[in-house]
Amino acid sequence: MASSSSGLTFKLHPLVIVNISDHHTRVKSQSQPPTANGFASDATSASSNSPPLSSPRVFGCVIGVQRGRTVEIFNSFELLYDPSTHSLDRSFLEKKQELYKKVFPNFYILGWYSTSADAEESDMHIHKALMDINESPVYVLLNPSINHAQKDLPVTIYESELHVIDGIPQLIFVRSSYTIETVEAERISVDHVAHLKPSDGGSAATQLAAHLTGIHSAIKMLNSRIRVLHHYLNAMQKGEIPYENSLLRQVSSLLRRLPAIESEKFQDDFLMEYNDTLLISYLAMFTDCSSTMNDLVDKINVAFDRHSRRGGRTAFI
């Protein structure tokens, strides 16, 4: 497939990818509901040789802003799709557009999204139908199939261009490059999602291996950066590159912090903070135990009060 020649710069926010993935996951789970025993029904599992059910495609709009030649996609919302006519529910689209315009007055519909391994022929009908809203809509395509060998995101952004094929002008999809753009709230959310436990619980060994792998990657990255800095300083000392006083001041400031970690004052401050943290933990535990004990005493008193009304005895607690 040809690459775009429009010269536009696309910035895609993680929220869009999360929304599309969530939309696909919900529709897939609703279209293949489990039975009461948690297994597939007999109709779908009668033959082990039958091909697996294909995941239904989902559709929606992407919204954002365009500043000059830069298109930034911030968010998305779902749409209703009619597979018989290969068209979107226009009234539903206009209603959603009006609602989002009230919440995000600066965002405009930039295009649409779908899920598939590749752009299909029927996608162009939807693409043309949105041209009255945006004359150059963007098509964001998410590939829901899992490929562990692939390191890039399974997301492709398409533009439409008019090409002459066999003497006939035709509108075709062309790939466009993009970058991931994040804000502080998105970085925190993505980091939280990345550290969530798997839905199946996962084994302790798996959790530990993932944690140690992350630590190893961080240490490896730190080591590589230290090597680059050491090589740069050696070349500067040998006169191979000119001195850069601003960099030397930053390195000197960094090195002055290292001995503080091994000083006696640091150890005293560290132990004091550590002991304070343990003390707070112990106090919280004692408070929780006291609350549990009070609840237990109240329950015993209630039980003895009921017993005293029946047998004439009084509670002794």
Side-chain angles (χ1 to χ4, degrees):
M1 183 172 291
S3 298
S4 173
S5 59
S6 64
L8 294 176
T9 301
F10 291 95
K11 295 181 179 180
L12 182 65
H13 283 252
L15 179 60
V16 180
I17 304 176
V18 174
N19 286 344
I20 301 175
S21 178
D22 174 70
H23 188 190
H24 168 77
T25 303
R26 284 187 286 104
V27 172
K28 181 180 178 180
S29 62
Q30 293 169 5
S31 63
Q32 301 175 4
T35 58
N37 59 5
F39 296 97
S41 61
D42 295 337
T44 58
S45 60
S47 174
S48 59
N49 297 326
S50 60
L53 295 175
S54 59
S55 301
R57 300 185 66 188
V58 296
F59 298 85
C61 272
V62 293
I63 59 177
V65 295
Q66 180 173 355
R67 304 181 184 93
R69 309 297 295 174
T70 302
V71 179
E72 193 164 357
I73 306 174
F74 282 94
N75 206 342
S76 64
F77 59 85
E78 303 170 12
L79 292 177
L80 299 179
Y81 175 73
D82 186 359
S84 61
T85 59
H86 300 292
S87 61
L88 301 173
D89 189 332
R90 194 58 182 233
S91 60
F92 183 80
L93 168 60
E94 293 173 353
K95 183 179 179 180
K96 294 285 288 186
Q97 181 183 8
E98 181 181 355
L99 293 175
Y100 267 81
K101 198 65 178 177
K102 295 179 180 179
V103 182
F104 306 104
N106 297 325
F107 288 179
Y108 297 91
I109 292 181
L110 300 176
W112 62 292
Y113 73 78
S114 182
T115 54
S116 180
D118 200 357
E120 299 183 6
E121 187 176 348
S122 59
D123 294 345
M124 185 56 70
H125 298 288
I126 302 175
H127 197 79
K128 292 179 179 178
L130 294 176
M131 285 185 172
D132 60 338
I133 299 177
N134 190 317
E135 60 181 11
S136 300
V138 178
Y139 179 21
V140 181
L141 183 65
L142 172 68
N143 186 0
S145 60
I146 299 176
N147 184 4
H148 297 285
Q150 183 179 358
K151 296 183 179 180
D152 298 331
L153 288 173
V155 177
T156 307
I157 292 182
Y158 293 101
E159 293 180 82
S160 57
E161 291 183 355
L162 192 63
H163 288 201
V164 178
I165 302 176
D166 297 332
I168 302 175
Q170 297 182 15
L171 201 64
I172 64 172
F173 287 121
V174 291
R175 293 177 182 267
S176 298
S177 60
Y178 65 92
T179 58
I180 299 297
E181 188 80 9
T182 61
V183 294
E184 185 65 26
E186 288 178 320
R187 284 193 288 269
I188 296 174
S189 302
V190 171
D191 181 72
H192 175 70
V193 172
H195 289 83
L196 286 176
K197 293 182 66 177
S199 57
D200 57 355
S203 62
T206 304
Q207 299 289 329
L208 179 61
H211 178 66
L212 293 179
T213 301
I215 295 178
H216 177 266
S217 300
I219 295 176
K220 186 177 179 181
M221 178 63 69
L222 177 62
N223 182 54
S224 64
R225 294 182 177 180
I226 292 176
R227 286 180 178 273
V228 171
L229 184 59
H230 183 260
H231 177 74
Y232 184 82
L233 294 176
N234 282 337
M236 188 180 295
Q237 185 179 20
K238 294 177 182 179
E240 298 176 359
I241 56 177
Y243 280 84
E244 189 173 343
N245 293 327
S246 61
L247 178 61
L248 291 176
R249 283 194 294 268
Q250 293 180 13
V251 173
S252 178
S253 176
L254 179 63
L255 293 178
R256 288 196 192 99
R257 301 177 188 176
L258 298 179
I261 299 178
E262 299 178 357
S263 65
E264 184 176 352
K265 185 178 183 306
F266 174 80
Q267 293 295 334
D268 294 340
D269 293 341
F270 174 76
L271 290 176
M272 184 179 297
E273 292 287 343
Y274 182 69
N275 290 333
D276 291 343
T277 303
L278 289 180
L279 181 60
I280 293 173
S281 300
Y282 292 153
L283 290 175
M285 182 182 64
F286 289 148
T287 303
D288 185 59
C289 290
S290 299
S291 176
T292 304
M293 184 64 70
N294 288 333
D295 292 341
L296 179 61
V297 170
D298 291 340
K299 292 179 181 179
I300 294 176
N301 279 331
V302 170
F304 271 85
D305 287 342
R306 292 178 178 176
H307 182 71
S308 63
R309 294 191 188 97
R310 295 176 181 177
R313 299 178 183 180
T314 58
F316 60 88
I317 296 181

